[in-house]
Amino acid sequence: MKTWFAAAAALFAAGDYAGILMPQYFSVYAALAVVFAVLMAAAAKFKPQTYGAAILALIFFTLCGMAAGSKAMQPHTADIKNYIGQKVTVYGKVDLLTLKKQEKGTGFILECTALQTGSGNLHKARGNIRVFVQNAKVKNFTAGSIAVTGTLKSLNGFANPGSFNSENWNLQQGLQGRMSVKQAALQVMGEADISDKFFLFALGLRQKITDTVGGEAGAVLCGMALGGYDGLSEATREAFSVTGLAHILSVSGTHMALVAGFLILIIGRRGKAQIITVMLLLFLYALLCGGSAPVWRSFIMSAVALAGAGTYKKAQSGNIFCAAAVLLLIYNPLWLLDVGFQLSFAATGGLIFIYPQLKERLQFLKPVLVREGFAITLAAQLASLPLLLWHFNQLSLVTFAANILLVPAMEILVIAVLGGLCLPFAGTYLIYAAGIFMQPLLNAVSFLAVLPAAAVNVPHLPAACFVLYYIMLAALFNNSWFSKTERRYTAAICSAGIIVLAAYKIFTPQPFTVHFMDVGQGDAALVQTTDGHNIIVDCGGLQGNFDTGSRIIVPYLRYLG
């Protein structure tokens, strides 16, 4: 892979982030991007082989990223959040895959298209809202187009360090408000169109899995096969996180490759018609899974590999990887803030850039399957480690055992479940059998998660540590950038820098500090004394099954170390 492709993609992402942080300068970014586009075109015409043309191109990509990020943050007069606090009638389409049965009704996300105020005026509307309809059932939604009347309220979000950033999540999903209404305030508009029928079909597939296999096993199988965390208990989510298996609960590149291989096995790969058929089925599978950023990344790379039909070379995978990142960020610049997007691309980058060399260096491991499994797991972990520490402040020490021993069996169950969904009669028995085998695997995950020192808490380290870490990785696994001597010295300097920065963070004396945490309702304070004691005063809390202890307080304590 050419270095320039990686640099262009990295600078586009960096520009995207800068644009999100500083959206007020959109016109400046756009104007500069046009200027540098002209300069780049002129340089490419008169001096195409010079470094000047390449540098102009990199600046152009950075400015394009800044323009894309800032554009996504621009306010609009049609934003539905402008009507917060008013009683309105909202028209739009239900994201049918977000339909979720709750204790006293059904919740979903509504993609707004129009809005009617109390004066009777109809306005265009932009943005999504979270809606809860009391006493409604999922089966009541026979079409995606609806109208709902109620008071539009602001979202309740949390942005405590170390915990799930709901404000970022709402931003990525385009969520601008919420509404809770009675069933009489909901009106289904017209008949279901083709897209409604497709997503209702997808919802039915999920329901078939959870109806056939009850409890945690059914929820995990549904998450592995079609993506999502619905129905999982807090304990199960934590167990998968501690063991480093959270990735298995979302549709990733491994899933897509398995599905592609299974389809090729059935359909064959004899000509263009077969390849197009496989690609179409993969596209439909991506839609069934909700079309998240990691899913589309996996689809793009699988589709390009299939399109090569024998001419595709592994050397091109890095270029495709970088192109996929830029294309997805052009489509939705805010996906850059998504932890799943970041981890998906980091792990895939590890498999592309680190795995080939790592496999060669582990030739002493026997048998081959053990070496391959260990190299794949280690490559993905090495590439995603900084992001895992940055977002979760936790390092799993059992991830290698869990991924090598449990993931292959779980992937087989994914194929079994997908096969069961395709079979009209015997499919239910196949899904049921997968559920039987899933339970021992869940027990194994729980066993590994509760082992002493299964995971180590790591305090929030300076960003410079992670920059030095990736430079060290580049030195260790990129022979074209560094000579043998340079690799050794670069790795030593980066390692020393990381140790010094981490030691300064960990061993700096703690001053007397009081932290006030956002827990929704009530107060929660953490008092840190100079002699190292931590005192929590109250924990607050919200109504329902939201556990502020595991969702907010414990992650915040991990963040502090």
Side-chain angles (χ1 to χ4, degrees):
M1 186 210 71
K2 293 182 179 180
T3 305
W4 297 107
F5 279 88
L11 288 173
F12 184 92
D16 182 12
Y17 186 65
I20 291 172
L21 294 179
M22 298 179 290
Q24 65 270 29
Y25 303 114
F26 167 70
S27 57
V28 176
Y29 305 145
L32 288 175
V34 172
V35 171
F36 275 88
V38 174
L39 293 174
M40 181 180 64
K45 181 177 181 180
F46 297 107
K47 295 182 179 181
Q49 302 301 323
T50 62
Y51 280 106
I55 292 172
L56 287 173
L58 294 180
I59 297 175
F60 170 72
F61 267 90
T62 306
L63 291 168
C64 285
M66 297 172 78
S70 60
K71 176 64 175 176
M73 297 293 292
Q74 296 302 306
H76 195 279
T77 56
D79 284 341
I80 196 166
K81 63 184 177 183
N82 296 326
Y83 298 90
I84 294 291
Q86 300 183 37
K87 185 173 183 180
V88 294
T89 298
V90 180
Y91 300 87
K93 293 207 64 154
V94 177
D95 183 348
L96 294 169
L97 292 182
T98 65
L99 282 170
K100 185 177 179 181
K101 181 182 178 181
Q102 300 180 16
E103 184 178 353
K104 296 181 180 180
T106 298
F108 56 89
I109 291 176
L110 178 64
E111 301 168 355
C112 307
T113 56
L115 174 144
Q116 189 174 26
T117 59
S119 61
N121 295 325
L122 191 65
H123 308 274
K124 288 184 178 180
R126 190 183 78 161
N128 301 334
I129 61 173
R130 193 181 300 278
V131 181
F132 176 76
V133 183
Q134 301 172 20
N135 301 320
K137 298 180 180 179
V138 173
K139 65 180 182 180
N140 295 143
F141 295 85
T142 56
S145 297
I146 68 165
V148 59
T149 301
T151 301
L152 190 62
K153 300 179 181 179
S154 59
L155 291 165
N156 293 324
F158 303 98
N160 296 291
S163 61
F164 177 72
N165 193 326
S166 56
E167 292 183 359
N168 265 357
W169 173 255
N170 293 336
L171 185 62
Q172 297 160 35
Q173 302 300 313
L175 288 168
Q176 300 182 13
R178 62 187 175 92
M179 189 180 284
S180 180
V181 300
K182 295 181 179 180
Q183 190 171 0
L186 172 71
Q187 180 182 0
V188 178
M189 312 285 289
E191 301 293 329
D193 57 22
I194 295 177
S195 64
D196 292 339
K197 292 177 180 178
F198 178 82
F199 288 114
L200 286 171
F201 171 73
L203 199 64
L205 294 180
R206 295 169 185 267
Q207 191 67 42
K208 180 177 180 179
I209 296 173
T210 53
D211 286 346
T212 305
V213 181
E216 295 286 326
V220 171
L221 284 174
C222 187
M224 290 195 306
L226 298 174
Y229 297 88
D230 289 347
L232 292 179
S233 67
E234 195 66 37
T236 300
R237 293 190 189 194
E238 181 67 15
F240 273 81
S241 177
V242 168
T243 54
L245 293 175
H247 64 89
I248 200 71
L249 297 175
S250 62
V251 177
S252 61
T254 306
H255 291 71
M256 199 67 72
L258 279 172
V259 174
F262 183 67
L263 292 173
I264 290 172
L265 184 66
I266 297 174
I267 300 173
R269 191 175 180 175
R270 296 180 295 275
K272 291 184 178 180
Q274 287 81 5
I275 296 301
I276 292 174
T277 302
V278 172
M279 290 173 63
L280 178 60
L281 291 174
L282 284 179
F283 177 76
L284 293 176
Y285 178 60
L287 289 177
L288 287 174
C289 296
S292 63
V295 172
W296 287 126
R297 189 270 308 160
S298 304
F299 169 75
I300 290 173
M301 299 200 70
S302 298
V304 173
L306 285 169
T311 62
Y312 175 79
K313 298 178 181 178
K314 291 184 178 179
Q316 297 173 331
S317 59
N319 297 344
I320 298 165
F321 168 77
C322 295
V326 172
L327 288 174
L328 289 176
L329 289 179
I330 290 174
Y331 175 73
N332 186 351
L334 297 178
W335 270 346
L336 184 67
L337 303 176
D338 184 10
V339 177
F341 177 91
Q342 297 171 20
L343 291 174
S344 172
F345 273 90
T348 304
L351 297 180
I352 292 173
F353 304 124
I354 298 177
Y355 166 70
Q357 290 194 46
L358 200 57
K359 183 176 64 173
E360 295 300 321
R361 299 179 189 183
L362 296 174
Q363 289 295 328
F364 61 91
L365 286 180
K366 305 293 181 181
V368 175
L369 286 177
V370 173
R371 180 171 69 246
E372 293 279 342
F374 187 80
I376 289 173
T377 302
L378 183 57
Q381 290 293 321
L382 285 174
S384 56
L385 178 61
L387 294 172
L388 290 170
L389 295 181
W390 180 268
H391 291 294
F392 304 110
N393 305 109
Q394 199 172 44
L395 176 63
S396 175
L397 300 181
V398 297
T399 184
F400 293 106
N403 278 274
I404 292 173
L405 298 177
L406 302 181
V407 168
M410 290 182 176
E411 296 288 8
I412 292 173
L413 296 184
V414 170
I415 295 298
V417 170
L418 293 176
L421 293 174
C422 297
L423 297 175
F425 301 110
T428 301
Y429 298 102
L430 192 57
I431 297 172
Y432 183 78
I436 294 175
F437 286 103
M438 188 69 240
Q439 192 58 54
L441 294 177
L442 285 179
N443 295 337
V445 172
S446 300
F447 172 77
L448 290 174
V450 298
L451 287 176
V456 177
N457 295 333
V458 180
H460 194 69
L461 299 175
C465 287
F466 306 123
V467 174
L468 290 173
Y469 176 86
Y470 278 120
I471 294 174
M472 183 178 67
L473 276 190
L476 292 175
F477 294 100
N478 195 315
N479 296 331
S480 63
W481 289 5
F482 302 89
S483 66
K484 187 175 181 180
T485 303
E486 290 172 339
R487 287 202 304 272
R488 185 163 54 246
Y489 281 114
T490 303
I493 293 171
C494 291
S495 299
I498 293 171
I499 293 172
V500 170
L501 290 171
Y504 178 80
K505 169 73 176 181
I506 294 171
F507 296 110
T508 298
Q510 170 65 49
F512 183 86
T513 311
V514 180
H515 305 260
F516 294 94
M517 292 171 280
D518 180 9
V519 291
Q521 295 179 357
D523 299 320
L526 169 66
V527 180
Q528 290 187 303
T529 64
T530 54
D531 55 356
H533 289 90
N534 296 299
I535 305 168
I536 294 179
V537 182
D538 203 352
C539 295
L542 292 171
Q543 294 181 352
N545 58 1
F546 187 88
D547 187 348
T548 56
S550 62
R551 295 285 188 93
I552 296 176
I553 296 175
V554 171
Y556 191 67
L557 293 174
R558 288 176 184 158
Y559 174 86
L560 296 175

